Amino acid sequence: MNKSLKHIIIVIVAVIAVNFVSTKVYKRFDLTTDQRYTLNEATLDIIKKAETPIVIDVFLEGEDFPSEFRRLQSETKQLLEEFRAYNDNISFKFINPTEDEDTRDQAIKQLNARGLTPMQLNVQENGKQSQEVIFPWALASYDEVTVKIPLVKNKIGETQQQLVTNSVQHLEYAFADGISKLVNPKRRKIAVLKGNNEMDNLNIADYVKTLRDYYFIAPFTLDSVSNNPEKTLKSLQDFDLIIAAKPTEAFTEEEKFVLDQYTMNGGKSLWLIDQVAMDKDSLYNDFGKNVALARDLNLTDFFFKYGVRINPVLVSSMYSAPIVLLSGEGSNTRAERFPWTYSPLAQGISTHPVVNNLNYIKFDFASPIDTLKNNLKTVKKTVLLQSAPLSKLEGTPREISLDEVNNQQDPASFNKGSQNLAVLLEGKFTSVYNNRVKPFDLQDVKNESVPTKMIVISDGDVIKNEIDRNGPKELGYDSKLNQFFGNKEFLVNAANYLLDDNGLINIRSKEIAVAFLNSEKITEEKTKWQLLNILLPLVLLGIFGFSFNYFRKKKYAK
């Protein structure tokens, strides 16, 4: 009896000890080869900050989803379960907004009003094709604030399987980014430069509106440099990032010196520069043509010292966005698409987080960027975007005419290879005015910077959104082509990377291998495998029963 009691006490103590340890020590094991369920440290830091409930509504629910989107649905559910395992303040539910036929239209209107646009899918089952409308979005709510989270990553010309693969890779970043907006207060400040005839506010309105979800943002004019340059520099240093959106007037030496010292003191910058004066809008005149001229912004030595050079020529590419023009006369007039080599489509050439898994970025009259061999030890130069390999360069001055759409392009002439269109510079920069006469006296002049970053893009129109009578449209949307490009996401990623101090943007580099079944083979062999799975067990069961009875009778018949 004493031994039994002793064993019972030992078991009770052991159970209590195990439960105590399990409340203090927490560990999950990810046995997948691509570590798809191992959350990034930046993601963990974000979700652990939620001290009150975060409610996530996922509109990825339905009975008629194609198999690919059922995979996206399950991957989303598993990721959110992983979130909840680390913070039980996170709760989620999957909703089918079109399930109730009586309220279907009203639900669709409400979701559209919140910017949750539907997506039309092709569903192929049993060799038959049908269409299904889904809402690939989630809404996350925290402390009476709600943000929308996109679950699908579109790319031009990709299949549904490729689309879902891209979307699964993007899931962790999408949710971490959305929750970050809810739990992280704004700290960083961005200045949009004014004073050198930069792009109009309406043309950059959508980008600025998007950045306001992350940062404080305000215009900053350099006009005061001529009166009080030191005060201007001091005011500029209150900002963590400056954005120069297509300046068209030359910078003075005093302005350049202020910008240079801003960089020397660790300021980040995003430059969108047109080295050639030419806009598509300038072609829509009575003659249908205009002259492209080199634009002198007095920044050549500025960028040269930092390690890049924007050449005053145009990149013409065989892989580019078409132009939409009216053809015909009178009642036969219609809008048609024509090849237009001056709108190159660029794609990231690496898995760098700024450009990884992005849709094509549309340029207009872009120029090539050379990366120079100076300051190689102190400045790292990363090419982010390039034109397609079939590209050529066209010098300036040059007449550009809409009649060129009627000319047959010779692929052999596009022999200059891929051209750099966006470059990231990181490291310690040498001052443009090192060993040079300074434009004005300044206290505490620095000739070498602390570690900092800048991105140079050779086209100002990358940041330009369209405007209609209802106001600015979403950046990256081309209403004439009725197509979205990746401009907005690229520029948001660029700003986030330049300012990111918690590694959130690096989640975008995560690679996940998603395997799909061959839908054609499934359709062809469906009947065979159904029969095999239904009949084979019955046949095996029959053989076993017959054999059992046979041997039983043989054994006991005597």
Side-chain angles (χ1 to χ4, degrees):
M1 186 67 182
N2 288 337
K3 286 184 178 179
S4 299
L5 185 62
K6 193 175 181 179
H7 290 154
I8 291 170
I9 292 172
I10 291 173
V11 169
I12 292 172
V13 171
V15 169
I16 293 172
V18 168
N19 277 276
F20 177 77
V21 171
S22 65
T23 59
K24 301 296 182 182
V25 179
Y26 175 80
K27 185 65 179 175
R28 290 165 71 86
F29 297 94
D30 184 356
L31 302 181
T32 56
T33 54
D34 52 14
Q35 296 293 288
R36 69 177 61 192
Y37 303 119
T38 301
L39 298 180
N40 187 282
E41 286 298 323
T43 303
L44 292 175
D45 290 342
I46 289 167
I47 62 179
K48 287 176 181 177
K49 288 180 181 178
E51 297 177 352
T52 57
I54 292 181
V55 179
I56 302 174
D57 294 327
V58 184
F59 302 102
L60 206 60
E61 183 69 31
E63 297 178 358
D64 298 325
F65 277 12
S67 58
E68 297 93 346
F69 278 80
R70 286 198 292 271
R71 184 62 177 273
L72 178 61
Q73 181 188 50
S74 66
E75 293 284 349
T76 304
K77 193 171 294 184
Q78 287 171 341
L79 177 69
L80 292 176
E81 285 172 353
E82 199 72 18
F83 279 20
R84 186 169 58 188
Y86 285 97
N87 188 338
D88 55 13
N89 280 322
I90 296 176
S91 63
F92 63 92
K93 57 183 176 180
F94 281 69
I95 300 170
N96 183 356
T98 60
E99 185 176 18
D100 190 342
E101 290 293 335
D102 296 333
T103 60
R104 176 189 173 96
D105 292 340
Q106 183 65 25
I108 290 175
K109 283 182 182 179
Q110 289 177 349
L111 292 173
N112 271 314
R114 302 190 72 161
L116 309 184
T117 52
M119 183 177 184
Q120 200 164 30
L121 301 176
N122 293 320
V123 182
Q124 190 165 0
E125 295 287 346
N126 300 324
K128 296 180 181 179
Q129 265 200 346
S130 60
Q131 290 188 325
E132 178 75 13
V133 175
I134 68 167
F135 285 85
W137 295 89
L139 290 177
S141 302
Y142 178 75
D143 286 347
E144 299 182 355
V145 178
T146 300
V147 298
K148 60 182 183 179
I149 299 171
L151 304 180
V152 163
K153 283 281 298 171
N154 275 310
K155 278 190 179 181
I156 297 172
E158 293 204 330
T159 64
Q160 283 189 180
Q161 287 190 359
Q162 292 169 325
L163 183 146
V164 169
T165 299
N166 295 333
S167 302
V168 169
Q169 290 187 179
H170 184 69
L171 276 179
E172 184 180 341
Y173 175 77
F175 279 102
D177 181 56
I179 295 173
S180 176
K181 293 176 187 176
L182 296 172
V183 300
N184 284 328
K186 295 181 188 179
R187 295 182 298 110
R188 305 289 194 174
K189 296 180 180 179
I190 297 177
V192 179
L193 295 185
K194 299 292 180 184
N196 294 84
N197 199 24
E198 283 85 359
M199 194 169 285
D200 187 75
N201 289 338
L202 277 176
N203 290 121
I204 61 173
D206 186 66
Y207 183 54
V208 170
K209 178 184 174 184
T210 304
L211 288 185
R212 282 204 178 105
D213 290 339
Y214 304 87
Y215 313 107
F216 297 105
I217 188 163
F220 188 94
T221 180
L222 292 174
D223 292 345
S224 57
V225 168
S226 56
N227 299 324
N228 196 335
E230 193 155 356
K231 183 181 177 182
T232 304
L233 174 59
K234 197 170 183 180
S235 299
L236 189 60
Q237 286 174 345
D238 290 337
F239 294 91
D240 303 286
L241 171 69
I242 58 173
I243 298 175
K246 194 180 176 178
T248 56
E249 289 183 5
F251 288 77
T252 65
E253 291 299 319
E254 290 79 6
E255 290 170 340
K256 285 165 56 179
F257 189 39
V258 166
L259 293 171
D260 173 76
Q261 288 303 297
Y262 169 79
T263 301
M264 295 303 107
N265 284 279
K268 315 313 195 288
S269 51
L270 175 61
W271 296 90
L272 297 105
I273 302 297
D274 267 11
Q275 202 65 24
V276 175
M278 170 54 67
D279 294 299
K280 193 184 289 184
D281 292 343
S282 68
L283 299 176
Y284 300 132
N285 54 41
D286 293 339
F287 304 101
K289 57 186 176 182
N290 212 325
V291 178
L293 299 169
R295 175 178 280 143
D296 183 13
L297 295 174
N298 194 26
L299 291 176
T300 302
D301 60 335
F302 187 82
F303 291 124
F304 189 94
K305 191 70 174 181
Y306 295 155
V308 294
R309 175 175 54 217
I310 308 175
N311 296 310
V313 297
L314 292 175
V315 176
S316 179
S317 173
M318 286 289 288
Y319 194 81
S320 56
I323 190 171
V324 177
L325 300 174
L326 296 177
S327 63
E329 294 181 2
S331 59
N332 293 323
T333 302
R334 63 183 182 278
E336 283 192 63
R337 297 184 180 193
F338 295 93
W340 184 248
T341 61
Y342 297 108
S343 295
L345 294 177
Q347 197 172 27
I349 61 170
S350 67
T351 57
H352 193 280
V354 173
V355 292
N356 187 41
N357 199 17
L358 280 187
N359 199 351
Y360 287 98
I361 291 89
K362 180 174 175 283
F363 285 73
D364 277 308
F365 299 107
S367 299
I369 303 176
D370 291 338
T371 54
L372 308 175
K373 293 184 178 180
N374 58 345
N375 56 38
L376 288 175
K377 294 182 179 179
T378 58
V379 178
K380 178 184 177 183
K381 299 155 189 173
T382 306
V383 176
L384 296 177
L385 296 174
Q386 284 187 338
S387 65
L390 287 177
S391 298
K392 66 179 179 180
L393 302 177
E394 298 186 358
T396 56
R398 179 182 182 83
E399 184 179 83
I400 307 291
S401 173
L402 292 176
D403 289 338
E404 293 183 33
V405 300
N406 298 316
N407 298 335
Q408 187 70 29
Q409 299 291 342
D410 179 15
S413 65
F414 292 80
N415 55 7
K416 294 299 181 181
S418 299
Q419 299 295 317
N420 302 334
L421 301 179
V423 177
L424 165 68
L425 306 172
E426 302 173 277
K428 293 182 178 180
F429 296 84
T430 302
S431 171
V432 176
Y433 292 90
N434 184 34
N435 298 324
R436 285 175 55 182
V437 176
K438 312 298 189 285
F440 55 84
D441 293 329
L442 186 67
Q443 293 181 355
D444 193 25
V445 175
K446 291 188 175 181
N447 290 320
E448 185 178 72
S449 76
V450 297
T452 187
K453 311 171 191 174
M454 71 170 60
I455 292 177
V456 181
I457 303 169
S458 63
D459 176 26
D461 291 317
V462 169
I463 199 174
K464 184 178 181 181
N465 57 250
E466 292 186 5
I467 304 169
D468 63 11
R469 58 185 179 183
N470 296 318
K473 292 189 175 183
E474 185 173 356
L475 173 60
Y477 177 65
D478 190 316
S479 59
K480 292 179 180 177
L481 298 175
N482 192 27
Q483 200 164 38
F484 276 97
F485 296 95
N487 297 42
K488 182 176 180 176
E489 191 174 3
F490 164 62
L491 291 173
V492 170
N493 289 347
N496 286 345
Y497 181 81
L498 292 171
L499 291 174
D500 189 27
D501 58 357
N502 61 7
L504 178 61
I505 189 70
N506 292 317
I507 301 171
R508 292 181 50 80
S509 298
K510 189 173 183 177
E511 294 288 337
I512 295 176
V514 183
F516 293 99
L517 296 175
N518 188 321
S519 57
E520 292 182 4
K521 200 169 184 179
I522 290 172
T523 303
E524 291 173 3
E525 302 185 7
K526 181 179 180 181
T527 304
K528 180 182 80 174
W529 290 105
Q530 281 179 334
L531 291 173
L532 195 63
N533 281 285
I534 294 171
L535 293 179
L536 183 61
L538 294 176
V539 170
L540 292 175
L541 186 62
I543 292 171
F544 173 77
F546 176 80
S547 302
F548 180 80
N549 284 322
Y550 173 78
F551 287 110
R552 185 172 178 275
K553 286 180 180 180
K554 189 175 181 181
K555 183 176 182 180
Y556 296 106
K558 297 178 181 179

